[in-house]
Amino acid sequence: MRAHYVLLLLLQIVGVNGELISVLTGTAIAIATGAFWGLKDKIKCQLYECCHEPDVNFNYHSLDADIANLLFGQHLVKDVVVNALKAHWHNENPKKPLVLSFHGYTGSGKNYVAEIIANNTFRQGLRSGFVQHIVATNDFPDKSKIEDYQMELRNRILSTVQKCHRSLFIFDETDKLPEQLLGAIKPFLDYYSTISGVDFRRSVFILLSNKGGGKISDITLKQYENGYPREQLRLESFERELMNFSFNEKGGLKMSELISNHLIDHFIPFLPLQREHVKSCVDAYLRKRGRSDLVSNVDFVERVLNSLQYFPDSSKAFSSSGCKRVDAKTDLELAKIRPQFQFDDEL
Ligand SMILES: *[C@@H]1O[C@H](CO)[C@@H](O)[C@H](O)[C@H]1NC(C)=O
Ligand SMILES: *[C@@H]1O[C@H](CO)[C@@H](O)[C@H](O)[C@H]1NC(C)=O
């Protein structure tokens, strides 16, 4: 009875207002089309990587947690990197891409942090098509081909951002990058709204280099020798030194152009690691290998720690290779000890 009434009312409205029919049909078609495109996009994104969730999804909380749990002895990195990325990602209209310059000796965790960032931004991490990992000596070995490389690099950057404006570029060994190539990157880091019709302002560039490692060590060592905790070291004392250093460096002309044009947003020092930080790396690796039973085995851990080199000679405060050779050294010590279960097998 009630349904009849509603139907009658509906017919009456339709009868009175013919336009309503077309509006209703139009809406139905729009919804259907939308659903179709939505479905198509869904299927496509099952097969290929897409420039949105879940393939691209910056997770600030897990980035923060990963850096806290996986990186040791780098309080400045934690503060600056997480907040800089968060601010850039949550800004709908950034004026330029985010450019971070990581400095420090090998093994202090520069590549590691870049990987952690990739893992917390892209579902496929470093394997994502929206992440470009450029290693100067590997990708551009032949100095006579520099002009080809310039084009190649430019196209590589352009085509990646064309696919996804939230792309990530990691330049390894930036200090070994020929000046012409650094020059080729420069426009992408700048305050332009578009380059060749592509908007770069939402992408992130990370420049890694060993340069400045000596200066960073000096500052950290002084703090150590004066008996102050390294956690009291502030970013400002390093930034001034690192900027000055990159300016005065021979052949560092292009780098200084990036600096004087304020294209590098943050200089981030990776401090040399003390024995206790290396120990944390050993512990983490043992856990990863399923041998957490050895974490509290002081003899074992000391053997691994003693197989690494330390500097300076006077205090042996810092590990020469940071945490870089920890995995191999731990494996070596693991291989030397007899597996416990072997006895059971033989009995
Ligand atoms: C990043 O993700 C890959 C793949 O899931 C994983 O193997 C790797 O250990 C992760 N790296 C870090 C630094 O967490
Ligand atoms: C910059 O570096 C030069 C040479 O390395 C040095 O003489 C100068 O005092 C430094 N300036 C500052 C502000 O640190």
Side-chain angles (χ1 to χ4, degrees):
M1 188 70 185
R2 217 183 164 86
H4 266 121
Y5 181 72
V6 172
L7 191 66
L8 204 69
L9 193 70
L10 204 66
L11 282 173
Q12 236 168 24
I13 294 169
V14 172
V16 170
N17 190 349
E19 262 177 38
L20 195 64
I21 295 182
S22 54
V23 170
L24 284 174
T25 340
T27 312
I29 290 174
I31 290 171
T33 319
F36 173 72
W37 283 109
L39 190 68
K40 200 177 160 215
D41 191 53
K42 231 180 189 155
I43 293 168
K44 192 186 135 216
C45 296
Q46 291 286 322
L47 300 172
Y48 306 101
E49 192 180 18
C50 284
C51 182
H52 51 65
E53 287 181 31
D55 290 335
V56 179
N57 181 19
F58 176 65
N59 190 335
Y60 147 74
H61 292 291
S62 77
L63 174 68
D64 200 33
D66 274 1
I67 289 188
N69 297 329
L70 303 172
L71 190 75
F72 307 108
Q74 306 292 3
H75 67 288
L76 294 170
V77 176
K78 187 169 165 17
D79 287 353
V80 185
V81 168
V82 176
N83 287 320
L85 280 162
K86 188 181 168 197
H88 187 253
W89 266 83
H90 291 162
N91 183 352
E92 275 306 310
N93 292 301
K95 293 206 165 45
K96 67 185 280 306
L98 178 67
V99 186
L100 305 174
S101 192
F102 290 2
H103 299 260
Y105 282 146
T106 47
S108 50
K110 301 187 299 293
N111 266 298
Y112 200 55
V113 171
E115 186 178 339
I116 292 174
I117 293 170
N119 275 5
N120 286 295
T121 310
F122 305 95
R123 194 159 60 140
Q124 300 189 36
L126 287 178
R127 283 173 295 126
S128 164
F130 310 137
V131 177
Q132 293 289 322
H133 191 192
I134 295 147
V135 186
T137 49
N138 194 49
D139 295 16
F140 311 111
D142 188 348
K143 285 220 158 52
S144 68
K145 289 194 185 147
I146 216 84
E147 277 173 21
D148 296 342
Y149 290 155
Q150 261 177 319
M151 280 302 290
E152 202 180 289
L153 182 60
R154 196 185 139 80
N155 290 336
R156 192 166 161 188
I157 298 175
L158 267 170
S159 66
T160 308
V161 179
Q162 222 157 21
K163 279 185 284 177
C164 188
H165 55 271
R166 288 290 189 187
S167 289
L168 170 67
F169 298 91
I170 302 164
F171 287 85
D172 210 341
E173 307 178 334
T174 310
D175 43 317
K176 297 198 183 81
L177 204 63
E179 282 195 1
Q180 294 97 317
L181 292 184
L182 208 51
I185 308 170
K186 186 178 168 261
F188 298 114
L189 312 183
D190 218 328
Y191 288 81
Y192 301 123
S193 54
T194 63
I195 298 166
S196 304
V198 183
D199 186 350
F200 279 81
R201 292 171 296 181
R202 288 195 182 85
S203 34
V204 176
F205 289 77
I206 301 178
L207 315 177
L208 315 181
S209 85
N210 296 341
K211 283 282 155 69
K215 270 270 175 265
I216 295 168
S217 273
D218 290 350
I219 295 172
T220 317
L221 184 63
K222 207 159 146 197
Q223 183 85 349
Y224 176 85
E225 285 172 345
N226 289 336
Y228 296 119
R230 63 202 255 134
E231 287 73 22
Q232 278 177 8
L233 288 168
R234 300 265 65 91
L235 189 66
E236 298 79 47
S237 35
F238 291 100
E239 267 199 319
R240 208 183 322 113
E241 292 278 357
L242 288 174
M243 279 175 79
N244 187 24
F245 184 86
S246 304
F247 255 118
N248 296 321
E249 183 67 7
K250 251 187 240 156
L253 197 69
K254 286 290 177 206
M255 192 71 178
S256 59
E257 242 181 83
L258 300 184
I259 298 166
S260 58
N261 287 309
H262 303 290
L263 300 186
I264 296 177
D265 297 294
H266 303 284
F267 289 87
I268 299 162
F270 282 66
L271 313 187
L273 299 182
Q274 287 167 218
R275 203 178 164 95
E276 67 190 78
H277 305 122
V278 182
K279 183 182 179 302
S280 299
C281 291
V282 176
D283 293 352
Y285 185 67
L286 282 172
R287 289 201 177 89
K288 195 171 142 198
R289 286 287 312 264
R291 292 305 305 263
S292 27
D293 57 305
L294 288 172
V295 169
S296 53
N297 185 329
V298 180
D299 283 347
F300 181 86
V301 175
E302 282 298 304
R303 275 205 300 282
V304 177
L305 291 176
N306 289 339
S307 67
L308 294 161
Q309 265 76 52
Y310 299 86
F311 75 97
D313 282 338
S314 53
S315 58
K316 301 230 180 281
F318 304 123
S319 160
S320 307
S321 53
C323 277
K324 197 164 194 170
R325 292 153 71 217
V326 159
D327 294 6
K329 294 291 183 192
T330 309
D331 281 338
L332 195 66
E333 291 303 325
L334 278 173
K336 286 184 195 165
I337 55 173
R338 212 177 148 94
Q340 298 125 329
F341 52 81
Q342 203 171 322
F343 295 105
D344 300 338
D345 285 352
E346 282 168 1
L347 283 173

